[in-house]
Amino acid sequence: MNAAPAETLQAVATRLRADFPLLARSVHGKPLIYFDSANTAQKPTQVIEAVDRFYRQFNANVARAVHQLGAEATSAYEGTRDKLAHFVNAGSREEIVLTSGTTQAINLVAWSHALPNLKAGDSILVTTMEHHANIVPWQLACKRSGAQLKVAPIDERGELIVERFIEALTPDVKLAAVTHVSNVLGTINPIAELARATRKRGIPLLVDGSQAAPHFKVDVRALGCDFYALTGHKLFGPTGTGALWARKELLRAMPPMFGGGEMIREVRFSGTSFADPPHRFEAGTPNIAGFVGLGAALDYLGSLDHHAVFLHEQALLAHLQEALRAVPGLRIFGEAAHKVPVVSFLIEGAHAHDLATLLDHEGIALRSGHHCAHPLMQFYGVPATLRASLAFYNTHAEIEQFVAALAKVRRLLA
């Protein structure tokens, strides 16, 4: 990939920051430095205005009323399904199930696809670096069915040991579930390679795309996976939104997870027939305004120069890691060759929560804790880490300010 001129990359964040109003606020009297986008991304004005406009101009329920407001709400809501299909390069809009986020999407696959097909002696394969949302649903399904959970290992650099993953794809494995990007380490997993291995063995592959979709283009057909889940609030959209992409033939074979209005074809006391996918899986009134906002977020992302954004984020990652390596007593967790700008670390003698609290008083927002990844913390032998997670709206100047603040709080804890 050819490098863009330095001034072009610097201009990316400067120009785009103006679209994110919250980045202009102060915290504890200091300008906010927001390094917690892996937790939730900030929202551009376009998204905020889209949600406001929905409630002010055409608030109504979807797929129920024939009046003008209902038609406008339904059009905007279903329009986001079309945008999501385009965003992941789905084969059709019918392959997109709108969910509250990745957690609901994975649970849907666990209960409607995995559980009906599992029996005692079967296995589900995950990796050591998974988020709890890609562990616990499979544990619940295994407990109900008598199946077991298998775990593919990683190395100290935070990279999946691919050959060990492939070796674990034995005939008892009925589904594999892998994160595209680790929320703790920033590691980008080689999904296309893993998908070739699972497809060769007839094993469906689910990919948790929560941390990948905000950083680079996702093409589910090129990846070759069978399920792909993503979360709207990490994608610069509203909370309570997300999607599951799945191959059409898999969705058609899956029973609904929830029952209620609008996921049915006909209801009789003698029995109910269900709507075709994806609406079969969308019972109840959804987060309509949220999905209107997510549609605006996808429009916003579609307007960006993705090549320049990617290069800018990679430059931020290189700067951040280089600066942190120079801090005495600091340990970085996960230094994979292919990463997004997510860096977890600890400083010898300082608790992650204490560091995070003191950095907050310097106006810097980072996450401390186990990051919903207890098994990964156990692998590294620590209870918690600090995590700096950046997005395209961050700058090199913020990294310098962060490192200076880190030196200050280290002195306070000495």
Side-chain angles (χ1 to χ4, degrees), residues 21 32 42 50 65 82 96 113 158-159 178 201 204 212 221 246 248 254 281 310 324 333 366 370 375 380 397:
L32 171 66
Q42 293 304 325
D82 293 322
I96 301 293
H113 171 78
E159 295 180 324
V178 182
R201 294 159 177 79
R221 287 191 276 182
K248 192 178 296 184
M254 289 165 55
F281 307 107
F310 177 80
L324 289 177
F333 296 87
L366 295 90
H370 54 71
Y380 282 111

Side-chain angles (χ1 to χ4, degrees), residues 166-384:
I166 294 174
E167 287 171 2
L169 294 172
T170 48
D172 56 294
V173 176
K174 303 306 177 186
L175 183 138
V178 182
T179 187
H180 199 163
V181 169
S182 167
N183 71 304
V184 179
L185 309 173
T187 303
I188 303 173
N189 281 318
I191 298 300
E193 181 180 0
L194 304 182
R196 285 192 294 270
T198 57
R199 190 165 58 251
K200 181 179 180 181
R201 294 159 177 79
I203 299 171
L205 176 64
L206 177 141
V207 179
D208 173 356
S210 287
Q211 300 293 341
H215 296 289
F216 49 81
K217 284 193 172 184
V218 171
D219 185 334
V220 293
R221 287 191 276 182
L223 290 172
C225 57
D226 300 281
F227 301 97
Y228 197 95
L230 57 82
T231 293
H233 75 93
K234 299 182 194 297
L235 202 54
F236 312 97
T239 56
T241 64
L244 170 71
W245 168 84
R247 295 188 187 279
K248 192 178 296 184
E249 62 271 21
L250 293 172
L251 285 178
R252 286 173 176 166
M254 289 165 55
M257 180 179 176
F258 297 115
E262 299 310 318
M263 46 76 69
I264 53 86
R265 181 174 288 115
E266 184 181 26
V267 176
R268 295 177 180 272
F269 283 119
S270 58
T272 295
S273 59
F274 303 112
D276 291 331
H279 296 99
R280 175 187 303 173
F281 307 107
E282 297 175 8
T285 297
N287 180 6
I288 306 167
F291 280 103
V292 171
L294 179 57
L298 294 171
D299 289 340
Y300 181 83
L301 290 172
S303 71
L304 303 182
D305 180 338
H306 291 279
H307 178 67
V309 165
F310 177 80
L311 290 178
H312 171 61
E313 289 193 344
Q314 288 298 299
L316 290 174
L317 172 62
H319 186 180
L320 177 60
Q321 291 192 138
E322 181 181 9
L324 289 177
R325 289 188 191 109
V327 176
L330 187 144
R331 177 187 178 190
I332 293 177
F333 296 87
E335 299 204 53
H338 302 288
K339 290 184 59 168
V340 301
V342 173
V343 181
S344 288
F345 63 95
L346 281 176
I347 294 177
E348 186 178 359
H351 195 284
H353 297 318
D354 293 337
L355 281 169
T357 300
L358 291 171
L359 285 167
D360 176 60
H361 284 276
E362 298 298 316
I364 301 169
L366 295 90
R367 183 174 175 184
S368 62
H370 54 71
H371 315 293
C372 298
H374 273 149
L376 186 57
M377 296 295 108
Q378 292 156 12
F379 172 80
Y380 282 111
V382 296

